[in-house]
Amino acid sequence: MTDSTCESTATAPYQLPQRPINVAILGAGRIAQKMATTLNLMARNETYRAYAKPYAIASRDQKRADEFAAQYGIPVAYGSYAQMLDDPEVDLVYIATPHSLHAEQAIACMEAGKHVLVEKAFTVNAGQAQRVIEVSQQTGKLCAEAIWTRYMPSRAMIRQLVEDGAIGDVCAISANLSYPTTHKQRIIDPKLAGGALLDVGVYPLNFIDMAIGGGSGRDIARMETAMIPYKTGVDAQSTTTLFYDDGVMAVSTCSLLAVSDRDGAIWGTDGYLMCRNVNNVERIDVYGKDYALTRSIPVPAQLTGYEYEVAACASAIATGQTECPDMPHADTLRMMRLLDHIRERWGLRYPCE
């Protein structure tokens, strides 16, 4: 049985800015390419063209920046990050570099008068995150974490089902995300704060946090975690079990070696939810006590999925906010502290720390 009744509650437009904001992309790698594609699609879309438009690409190499700009039709190409910081036409900088560089670059952008959308993991550790957020507050510039699942309609849809008691009282949650990515240098390099946890492990942990309404009074009472290291010393795969103070248990698993089903499950006293692909939920299946499928709820069609975080930033800038309601600074700090606690239990520190 297919049910689309949740769709309308998840697709309301954000506050429109006075004009589309100019977005500059810092870094020219794979994830930057996806943002460039998103911005171009937004510029051609009736719903999203009023929020943002592609303006510039910044790379450490002019030739690479020029090639990127030509491929994606971006008006301005900088051969250095300093050139971007000097351009007064840049409104928002999307930081798409390895997370070992995020804190330094986000601070430089905000001190130069730019708002920032920082790709996950937000920083290497909570100490860096705290400093970045302090600069946001000092400069009055928006600083948001680009963990796209926090901004997607699926988040509100899942929470609504839980709050409506579709599966009774929540007892346990399970989520996993794994991709074979050892061929990517940034993933396996400890100097770049590599490893599965900060790359893909953030998604199942954020799925759990969203499912239980993290930050709303439920606290983690105990944690058990273990990892298997890669030959370079970063974490190759791990599992973490969180025990909350009200008795809810949650298990997060991630790997840079294996292919997983990427599913998120929420188990209750009257049934359970299966969320297909915690990295970008495609469908929510609701099962009853008899394990029979009672509803299958599709997630609204999207451009790429990145449009939600960009629109959220444009809206926050338009209303003078320094954080996005979908991922406020308190949530970013809470999740960064959890990541720190997990790595501390493993004894994993990066050279930059």
Side-chain angles (χ1 to χ4, degrees), residues 313-340:
C313 285
S315 175
I317 292 169
T319 52
Q321 299 179 73
T322 58
E323 57 188 347
C324 285
D326 304 276
M327 189 58 170
H329 293 162
D331 286 4
T332 288
L333 282 172
R334 186 178 66 257
M335 297 309 296
M336 288 305 309
R337 288 170 183 144
L338 175 58
L339 295 172
D340 283 1

Side-chain angles (χ1 to χ4, degrees), residues 225 337-349:
T225 185
R337 288 170 183 144
L338 175 58
L339 295 172
D340 283 1
H341 189 29
I342 291 170
R343 288 196 299 113
E344 181 182 9
R345 293 285 291 273
W346 297 343
L348 175 60
R349 289 179 59 85

